[in-house]
């Protein structure tokens, strides 16, 4: 893997000229604002004295406060240390907001109110500002003051229930799926509000509850029969909720994903597994899926998938034009041939942390490319630079 230098020009990005003030913490808000920074926005990160992401995972890193999670969601930002519980800190924040286009926060509404940073107060002073606020539960709901972590939102959004239905486990998904999904919703909201701001000069309140975002996402396919009133069938996507919804083990110890969604696909997989007699069942000629028969067919494939090596399955699936993917260990992704081919994970030299791996933004623009132009900074590294530019002599 080659080491890449930072040579991107932020002025070439699609959001060049946009200033974003980020007073969010941990994952959801910072991930959304990092993408805005990838798009060329000048993201000014207002840091409280402590952000748990700076120490996650614990005891992993070269220097205190520069842990992997923080570095993964805070590139392309300038870090400014301001104590928002101090009136002088609020004064400094307002000086920065005067020329900003967007404010992003994931503080709970009550905390924002106590700090004098609620939407009504900020909007009155800066009517042009897009004020993007996300928290666990809708502030206007009975749950509005509850704290929330990713796992809490997985629980209330039905995701843990899906795990239980599918495999009898209450285990959380092993990824911050709620945080990152909500971040992408928040990002979309900011972009839409910026378009409105560009046309009208008006700012507005963009509000998102993590619980709402995950419920909306989970119900896309799992509303199923409950789409109709009265219900026309069971809740839940049938294939997703069976033990047969799994990758295939191969003869040489590998694994490959080739999930069938049609009767014909099941028939082809049965042939591939050497089950010609089962593949000859007339049921596979029908365009209509008989769910028990369909599931039983997949289970037979999984039970006999080790009849072929990984390479033999690849050859067979390619010849039959079936979608498939090798199961890649997450530890192997940096050296995975596809990842290397598209340059998604590269190595860079961080000014204080040495050689690090970074994941590029996966979006590609033909005229306004995304870029990596500023490493995640130590807390407060850009405080003087930012405040010197906005303070008047009387407030300096």
């Amino acid at each position: 893997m080659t080491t890449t230098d930072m040579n991107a020009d932020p002025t070439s990005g699609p959001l060049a000229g946009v200033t974003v003030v980020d007073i969010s913490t941990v994952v959801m808000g910072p991930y959304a604002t990092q993408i805005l920074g990838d798009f060329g926005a000048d993201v000014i990160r207002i840091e409280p004295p402590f952000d748990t992401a700076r120490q996650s995972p614990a005891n992993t890193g070269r220097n205190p406060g520069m842990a992997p999670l923080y570095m993964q969601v805070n590139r392309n930002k300038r870090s400014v240390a301001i104590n928002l519980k101090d009136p002088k800190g609020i004064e400094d924040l307002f000086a920065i907001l005067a020329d900003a286009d967007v404010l992003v926060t994931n503080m709970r509404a009550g905390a924002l109110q106590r700090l004098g940073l609620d939407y009504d107060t900020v909007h009155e002073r800066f009517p042009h500002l897009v004020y993007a606020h996300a928290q666990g539960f809708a502030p206007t709901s009975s749950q509005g003051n509850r704290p929330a972590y990713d796992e809490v939102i997985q629980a209330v959004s039905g995701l843990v229930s899906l795990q239980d239905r599918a495999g009898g486990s209450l285990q959380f998904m092993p990824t911050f799926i709620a945080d990152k999904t909500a971040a992408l919703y928040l990002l979309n909201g900011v972009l839409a509000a910026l378009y409105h701001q560009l046309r009208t000069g008006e700012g507005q309140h963009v509000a998102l509850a993590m619980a709402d975002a995950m419920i909306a996402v989970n119900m896309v396919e799992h509303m199923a029969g409950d789409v109709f009133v009265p219900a026309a069938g069971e809740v839940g996507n049938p294939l997703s909720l069976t033990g047969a919804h799994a990758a295939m083990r191969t003869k040489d110890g590998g694994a490959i994903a080739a999930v069938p969604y049609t009767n014909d696909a099941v028939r082809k997989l049965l042939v591939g597994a050497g089950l010609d007699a089962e593949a000859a069942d007339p049921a596979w000629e029908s365009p209509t899926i008989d769910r028990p028969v369909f599931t039983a067919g997949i289970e037979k494939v999984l039970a006999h998938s080790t009849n072929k090596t990984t390479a033999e399955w690849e050859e067979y699936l390619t010849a039959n034009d079936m979608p498939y993917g090798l199961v890649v260990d997450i530890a192997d992704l940096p050296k995975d041939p596809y990842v290397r081919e598209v340059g998604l994970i590269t190595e860079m030299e961080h000014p204080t942390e040495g050689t690090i791996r970074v994941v590029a933004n996966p979006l590609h623009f033909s005229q306004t490319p995304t870029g990596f132009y500023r490493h995640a900074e130590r807390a407060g590294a850009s405080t003087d630079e930012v405040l010197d530019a906005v303070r008047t002599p009387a407030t300096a």
Side-chain angles (χ1 to χ4, degrees), residues 53-336:
R54 281 195 175 275
Q55 297 188 34
S56 181
N59 304 315
T60 304
R62 292 170 178 155
N63 291 291
M66 295 299 285
L69 180 59
Y70 186 86
M71 295 175 69
Q72 283 290 343
V73 294
N74 284 291
R75 67 168 176 248
N76 290 341
K77 304 178 187 181
R78 294 189 284 170
S79 174
V80 177
I82 293 179
N83 182 2
L84 297 179
K85 294 182 179 180
D86 183 337
K88 183 67 166 61
I90 295 295
E91 184 179 329
D92 284 337
L93 174 61
F94 283 170
I96 295 170
L97 289 177
D99 291 323
D101 302 288
V102 180
L103 172 67
V104 176
T105 178
N106 61 357
M107 293 185 197
R108 280 179 279 169
L112 291 167
Q113 188 83 39
R114 290 190 294 273
L115 291 171
L117 294 177
D118 55 282
Y119 172 69
D120 289 340
T121 300
V122 174
H123 180 68
E124 182 178 3
R125 187 159 181 172
F126 308 108
H128 70 285
L129 194 69
V130 172
Y131 182 107
H133 175 222
Q135 63 176 61
F137 301 91
T140 55
S141 73
S142 60
Q143 313 295 317
N145 289 323
R146 289 177 54 191
Y149 284 125
D150 185 280
E151 293 86 351
V152 171
I153 302 304
Q154 288 192 40
V156 303
S157 67
L159 194 54
V160 175
S161 167
L162 290 172
Q163 291 281 82
D164 195 20
R165 284 168 174 255
S169 168
L170 294 178
Q171 184 173 0
F172 302 114
M173 292 285 289
T175 180
F176 296 148
I177 190 66
D179 276 321
K180 291 180 285 189
T181 299
L184 296 177
Y185 263 102
L186 186 63
L187 170 68
N188 282 329
V190 168
L191 295 176
L194 277 172
Y195 181 69
H196 176 79
Q197 183 193 69
L198 179 66
R199 291 188 296 113
T200 67
E202 295 176 343
Q204 62 180 303
H205 190 187
V206 178
L208 175 72
M210 291 173 66
D212 299 9
M214 281 307 297
I215 290 170
V217 166
N218 289 337
M219 295 308 276
V220 168
E221 76 274 34
H222 289 295
M223 181 80 80
D226 250 14
V227 165
F228 305 99
V229 181
E234 296 291 327
V235 171
N237 182 45
L239 178 58
S240 301
L241 296 177
T242 69
H245 194 228
M248 304 186 298
R249 302 268 180 202
T250 61
K251 188 175 184 178
D252 52 350
I256 194 165
V259 180
Y261 283 90
T262 65
N263 282 333
D264 184 59
V266 175
R267 182 186 61 78
K268 288 178 179 178
L269 288 178
L270 287 166
V271 172
L275 302 171
D276 292 345
E278 288 82 351
D281 190 324
W284 308 124
E285 303 299 327
S286 172
T288 303
I289 290 176
D290 181 317
R291 185 56 57 186
V293 173
F294 188 86
T295 301
I298 300 174
E299 289 172 343
K300 289 175 182 176
V301 170
L302 293 173
H304 293 83
S305 60
T306 53
N307 287 341
K308 273 185 168 57
T309 65
T310 303
E312 288 169 341
W313 269 117
E314 284 192 273
E315 181 180 1
Y316 177 80
L317 294 168
T318 299
N320 284 274
D321 196 30
M322 295 187 69
Y324 74 89
L326 298 181
V327 174
V328 179
D329 190 307
I330 195 166
D332 294 332
L333 283 174
K335 57 181 180 288
D336 178 75

